[in-house]
Amino acid sequence: MLCQHCGVEASTKYVAFYQNIGALIMRFTKSIEGNLCKSCIHKQYWSLTGTTAILGWWGMISLVVTPFLLLNNTVRYLFCLTMEPVGPGALAPTLTDAAVQKILPHTEELFNRMGNKEELPQVLTAIAQRAGVTPGQVLLFVRAVIEEQEKGS
């Protein structure tokens, strides 16, 4: 699947990381949620959790909330350590005209399988193999078709 943060086609996992900065009588929060690749999970965990660990304690509410956020972030991060790493030089896929032409003959099957509630990763992979493109390009094709339909509505 595609990483919802960087767009790279890689193994992803759903995570939700939170940041809290306490400021005596107020708090500043930030979060990131979505299906992220291992590289983005690593970067976001250390950024948000590191900030929370250092600046999360300075307030009455923050003093109580911070340990829970640190625990949440760390548990979610630990569950992601076994993921496959992102390949070296991995780039976000692009939907070229050539890829569209390869996918077009499979459009009816693609949307029928999606309409039958089949697992999206399996549908994307099957269509990509038949069309000779990547699953990420098939996903971009689906998004483009949906956007065009919404514009026409």
Side-chain angles (χ1 to χ4, degrees):
M1 293 299 290
L2 297 180
C3 175
Q4 292 178 322
H5 187 70
C6 70
V8 167
E9 192 165 1
S11 174
T12 62
K13 191 172 246 184
Y14 178 82
V15 293
F17 293 133
Y18 302 95
Q19 174 182 290
N20 178 66
I21 299 174
L24 295 181
I25 58 171
M26 56 190 322
R27 300 172 45 225
F28 301 95
T29 61
K30 179 179 171 182
S31 67
I32 185 163
E33 294 184 50
N35 292 302
L36 306 183
C37 66
K38 190 171 185 176
S39 295
C40 288
I41 288 171
H42 182 76
K43 288 175 196 166
Q44 295 302 317
Y45 169 78
W46 287 106
S47 174
L48 275 63
T49 306
T51 300
T52 300
I54 295 168
L55 302 173
W57 308 95
W58 308 109
M60 295 302 287
I61 295 172
S62 294
L63 189 61
V64 175
V65 170
T66 294
F68 292 104
L69 296 182
L70 293 173
L71 181 63
N72 170 77
N73 290 357
T74 301
V75 168
R76 288 179 186 251
Y77 180 71
L78 291 174
F79 279 113
C80 297
L81 291 178
T82 59
M83 288 176 61
E84 290 181 37
V86 177
L91 299 172
T94 57
L95 187 60
T96 63
D97 289 336
V100 170
Q101 294 307 313
K102 290 179 180 180
I103 299 168
L104 277 174
H106 307 281
T107 304
E108 185 176 346
E109 177 189 359
L110 172 62
F111 284 97
N112 283 341
R113 290 179 70 177
M114 289 173 57
N116 290 334
K117 306 280 191 241
E118 289 186 46
E119 292 291 323
L120 186 60
Q122 286 79 10
V123 173
L124 297 176
T125 301
I127 298 298
Q129 288 173 345
R130 283 196 198 90
V133 297
T134 69
Q137 289 175 310
V138 178
L139 181 59
L140 292 176
F141 175 81
V142 169
R143 288 179 181 168
V145 169
I146 292 170
E147 285 175 14
E148 282 299 315
Q149 287 179 343
E150 288 175 351
K151 284 180 187 175
S153 296

